[in-house]
Amino acid sequence: MNKLMQLRGGRGVSAAATAAALVLGGGAAASAYWGTTGSGSGSQTAGQLQVLTTEALAQPAGGQQPITPGGAADAAVRVTNPNSYPVELYSVASAGPATADAAHAQCVTTGITFQNPAVPLAPTVTVPASGSLTVVLPGAVAMDLTSDPGCQGASFRIPLTLEVRK
């Protein structure tokens, strides 16, 4: 019985030693793999995003009346992307007060405000590469009751800031 125990004990020690050797050998291999070093250089120049242009559309959308004091209207803006890749229109925000066209000098207080849409725009708006897209922002332009009577029939310039992402 002692011989049988010794053989089993011997095999057990041998198996444990082999397992330990495999683990240690694997650890050494992993250490060598992760411990490699090297050097080199590389360079790349980042491209420059070309400025997008915008154009407000003066005509009301089909079935929509011109804006009046106390009312709201959709803002329709044509965005032109001169870049060779499409861009996502992320946000549109007011960039200053609205002004009336030159023919309406008596329109000093316009009463016009631009309601910034939620950021990011939803649904996502993608302006195609080297192309244009008309974006309609529902109810984004409002005219309050303080607008001057001289604003009747005026067209308004509303400066906007667009944020785009590639």
Side-chain angles (χ1 to χ4, degrees):
M1 189 80 95
N2 272 347
K3 274 193 169 188
L4 187 57
M5 291 291 263
Q6 283 180 341
L7 283 175
R8 283 188 184 161
R11 282 189 198 143
V13 169
S14 176
T18 302
L22 289 175
V23 169
L24 291 176
S31 176
Y33 175 78
W34 290 106
T36 60
T37 60
S39 64
S41 64
S43 65
Q44 178 65 348
T45 303
Q48 196 92 25
L49 174 69
Q50 294 182 41
V51 176
L52 279 68
T53 58
T54 61
E55 172 190 10
L57 303 178
Q59 297 295 328
Q64 184 179 14
Q65 296 299 314
I67 194 166
T68 57
D74 297 345
V77 180
R78 182 180 314 277
V79 181
T80 302
N81 177 12
N83 296 289
S84 61
Y85 47 85
V87 294
E88 177 187 335
L89 182 57
Y90 186 77
S91 70
V92 179
S94 174
T99 54
D101 62 74
H104 292 83
Q106 299 301 318
C107 181
V108 178
T109 302
T110 65
I112 296 286
T113 57
F114 182 80
Q115 308 301 315
N116 298 340
V119 176
L121 289 179
T124 301
V125 176
T126 301
V127 184
S130 304
S132 294
L133 180 70
T134 299
V135 180
V136 177
L137 304 167
V141 179
M143 179 182 246
D144 66 29
L145 299 175
T146 65
S147 61
D148 291 332
C151 294
Q152 291 181 30
S155 293
F156 300 95
R157 180 180 176 275
I158 305 171
L160 301 174
T161 298
L162 307 179
E163 181 181 348
V164 297
R165 297 184 176 185
K166 183 172 184 304

